[in-house]
Amino acid sequence: MPPSVIRPLRFMGRLLAATAAAVGLVALFLALIVATDGAGSGFPAWSATVGVAVIAALWRGRRRSWRGRLVPFLPVLVAAALTLSVCVPAVPTTRRYPPALAFVTTEHWRLSTGSRVAVYHYPPAGNSPRLRVPLVYLNGGPVRGISVLDHHFLQRLAGQGHDVYAYEQAGGGRSDLLPMNQYSITRSVHDLGAFVGKLGKGRVDVLGFSSGAVVLTRALADRAIAAHLRRAVIAEPGPMDGPTARIAGQKGRPSARGIAPDMTGPRSTHNPRYAVAFGLMRLGLLGPGNGLVGQAEGDNAFTAADLGSDTASAYCARDAHRIPIEDTARNFSFSAAASLRIQQTIKDSPSIAPQLRHSRTPAMLMIAECSSQVRQWATSILADNPAIQRTQYMPSVGHHMWNGLGDNDRRAAAVITAFLQDKPAPLPDYPTRADVPAFLRDHK
């Protein structure tokens, strides 16, 4: 074979070998990150990887000329640079809280549990009769700030005479962070009880949405807390306990997931550090309290665009090309690590059905037509809670039932207000407990 062919083949062979070596070093680094749970911001894993790589390069070049000895160091330099980017923070490592909202005052309350939470109050407004019982809102997430879209819905409820209070659960929005090992579904429930006690206005009505509906459901199973709740609205709940979380049932009619345009805006996962950290946490290979990215840094880094198709899954397929902007970049807040921690405590919890069967707090269940939630998460609550007095199946909406599209907010507010005032429901009571088998069969 002529030299003109041999030389390029040798070059390609060396290039492929160098590439394989660099990939192998990156894989070693990631394995060490997992093995050490990201200790020391990843620097111990990086140091060990570089050390192994240098020793291997020296061994490979021991019988070569001085120029030849430099060749094995090429993949070392490449891998060292790539992996070092995973160890260096790209955002502040102390918590940057969202600035104050222009349309509502933010207060901070220290609860008896030790949590310090951001509180918002929308007094009764408009021409509707003032309702005596306060309405407390628990938003979804978990550990996500209340979106501007949700704030607008709370304003609508206040315009119908409700005295609305909302607080961002510990770690979310403008509320203070907790040590990672203190986040749990039990802590969230106790925070609700403590909030109602600090409010000091007697029994309250509570509207819980998504993961907030899980907190509310578990509060109804706690007699001490449930005694302070007058009525409960459980809207689009997640799984209430470990057995429910393990149900692999069907979801609602098609959502916009997979057909909506990609979310625009910056993504933290375009940065190698956060792509690795959030990716490994999502896979369960890094713990929520890992040493790679601290809670505060992770909160600062995470953006709305990082939610990807999760946002689209909260809307019907028919709304795929008109999904509203739920929040502003300045107000958005989500703690991925704390959220995973709380979700895990739900998965690890025993059944609450025996306690829930003793509930006496009048409750209403709201289920969306295009729900991205497993249907049995809601129907299990219906089956186990004898105090659910009505179910409202909301047509033409997805998981985020109040979303500013068409008359969705008006319809959701009408359903909530009618129940809290013990007035006839705007929609049929459906599904009832007897309807559940047919509902699960037909509405998917």
Side-chain angles (χ1 to χ4, degrees), residues 65 88 363 420:
S65 65
V88 180
L420 295 181

Side-chain angles (χ1 to χ4, degrees), residues 363-365 388-392 415 418-419 422-426 429:
M364 177 178 72
L365 183 64
I388 291 182
Q389 297 182 346
R390 68 176 70 163
T391 302
Q392 299 284 267
V415 163
F419 174 71
D422 199 20
K423 293 182 177 180
D429 182 13

